[in-house]
Amino acid sequence: MILGTRGDIEVCGEASNGQEAIDKALELKPDLIILDITMPVLNGIGAAELIREAMPKVPILFLSMHQGRQIIAEAKRIGVRGYVKKSDAAATLLNAVDALLRNEPFFP
């Protein structure tokens, strides 16, 4: 819903699990990928790693309830470019999307 408030952002696909996220990313070739860390079949970290291998230039943003330095460190290690806590999404998600599309990291 937050992304839908902006006319210049189009959600081209949604996935219900990590494997589906990989499949849709490869099929749809989006400009940006937003993943949750907790997903069935394959978690967001595993999905992000595989997406990064196949699509290294596409920025990935984690949107998750998980927080902490270890999560941020792991995200950076695998090439995720940003992180937004779900509880902060209303205030920061669009800023994070804009930053990643400008090729800037977003780790508040």
Side-chain angles (χ1 to χ4, degrees):
M1 287 191 317
I2 295 169
L3 297 173
T5 64
R6 291 249 312 257
D8 62 332
I9 296 175
E10 176 187 350
V11 176
C12 66
E14 294 183 34
S16 59
N17 65 63
Q19 184 58 56
E20 187 179 352
I22 294 167
D23 296 342
K24 288 203 174 197
L26 295 173
E27 174 190 344
L28 299 171
K29 299 182 181 15
D31 296 326
L32 171 75
I33 297 168
I34 300 174
L35 294 172
D36 194 345
I37 293 173
T38 304
M39 293 190 293
V41 181
L42 180 65
N43 68 32
I45 292 171
E49 286 180 302
L50 293 171
I51 291 169
R52 295 291 304 149
E53 288 176 17
M55 306 172 74
K57 294 186 183 210
V58 176
I60 298 172
L61 172 70
F62 277 155
L63 174 65
S64 184
M65 65 180 201
H66 299 284
Q67 57 187 352
R69 291 179 188 218
Q70 289 179 322
I71 295 291
I72 300 292
E74 182 68 5
K76 289 179 178 179
R77 183 191 69 76
I78 63 175
V80 171
R81 298 284 312 204
Y83 174 87
V84 171
K85 290 189 315 186
K86 284 185 178 180
S87 60
D88 296 338
T92 62
L93 182 60
L94 292 174
N95 291 335
V97 167
D98 289 339
L100 268 66
L101 291 175
R102 288 190 309 265
N103 203 29
E104 299 170 5
F106 190 89
F107 293 98

